[in-house]
Every structure is written in C-alpha cells, then in structure tokens.
Amino acid sequence: GIRYKVGSGVHVEYAHGPNLRRNIPSPFEDQPLTSSMKEQPEQSSADAQKAIADAVSLAKRSDIAVLVLGEIDLMSAESASRSSLKLSNGQEELLEAVAATGKPVVLVLVNGRPLDISWAANMCR
C-alpha cells in the first residue's frame, strides 16, 4: 500500500519483526469459516531477537519507520480473552528499539480491542 501511494520515487523496505501468537490456541483456527485465520509460527527467543535486530537495522538506514503493531485476527475474537491490554510478543521492545534510533516513527495499530499504548504515546513525542 505504501509503495502504491508514494510511487516509484521512494524506496520502501520491510522487516517482519517478531511473530504474533496467542498464549492459548484458538478453538476457531481450524473451523470452516475461519480456516484462513492462522497463528504465526512459534519463534525461539533468539529468532524473535534477530527479527527485532533486523527491524532496527532497517530503521537506522531509513528516513522514517512505519511500525504496524497490534494483534492478529485470532487474538481478538470470540474466546480470545487476555489478562493484559499491552502489546504482546516483543512488540513493545521492538517499538522501543526502533524509537531509540532517533528516526521518526509512525505507529499503526491493528487491533480488535482497546490496547494500552500509553507508554508509546509518551515515548514517541
């Protein structure tokens, strides 16, 4: 979408960041109407840290960082209660590390419930 909007005169790169998963598997993942909804593969701690490092490396050589954080669809549906409204799976760490590069950060949230991002609002001013 960004490439389409800004045109060919702007170079756009992408780093995935850590995978998102529910702590408890969704009972809807294998149902016919929701079969396209899948958990992202489980990652080792080392792989998640490498994903964060890759995103930080990309941010350092970029003019601006656009971070799309939040929840996958299976994290905010029926039977998807959570004990915290914070971002999960290393996303806070990712945002903190990218913001520490000093590059401007645009935070885009994808979520189906309210999320506590007060720390991000204070950090990214």
Side-chain angles (χ1 to χ4, degrees), residues 26-39 73-74:
S26 171
F28 300 103
E29 186 171 9
D30 295 320
Q31 299 300 313
L33 294 176
T34 59
S35 62
S36 63
M37 297 181 190
K38 296 288 181 194
E39 295 277 5
D73 47 10
L74 286 173

Side-chain angles (χ1 to χ4, degrees), residues 106-123:
V106 175
L107 176 57
V108 178
L109 291 174
V110 178
N111 51 301
R113 75 177 91 231
L115 293 174
D116 177 6
I117 59 162
S118 54
W119 57 271
N122 292 328
M123 183 179 64

Side-chain angles (χ1 to χ4, degrees), residues 22-108:
R22 291 169 46 123
N23 290 335
I24 300 170
S26 171
F28 300 103
E29 186 171 9
D30 295 320
Q31 299 300 313
L33 294 176
T34 59
S35 62
S36 63
M37 297 181 190
K38 296 288 181 194
E39 295 277 5
Q40 294 179 346
E42 192 167 354
Q43 266 181 326
S44 69
S45 179
D47 286 342
Q49 289 302 312
K50 182 181 180 323
I52 291 171
D54 291 346
V56 169
S57 176
L58 177 57
K60 286 179 179 177
R61 62 180 190 269
S62 301
D63 294 326
I64 188 169
V66 178
L67 274 75
V68 180
L69 306 178
E71 302 174 321
I72 57 174
D73 47 10
L74 286 173
M75 293 175 82
S76 61
E78 187 77 25
S79 296
S81 297
R82 293 179 54 206
S83 61
S84 171
L85 293 177
K86 293 184 176 203
L87 292 170
S88 61
N89 299 85
Q91 293 182 91
E92 286 187 34
E93 182 182 350
L94 172 63
L95 178 56
E96 290 170 2
V98 170
T101 68
K103 301 293 180 150
V105 174
V106 175
L107 176 57
V108 178

Side-chain angles (χ1 to χ4, degrees), residues 11-29:
H11 182 72
V12 178
E13 291 185 67
Y14 170 82
H16 187 276
N19 286 351
L20 299 180
R21 295 187 57 78
R22 291 169 46 123
N23 290 335
I24 300 170
S26 171
F28 300 103
E29 186 171 9

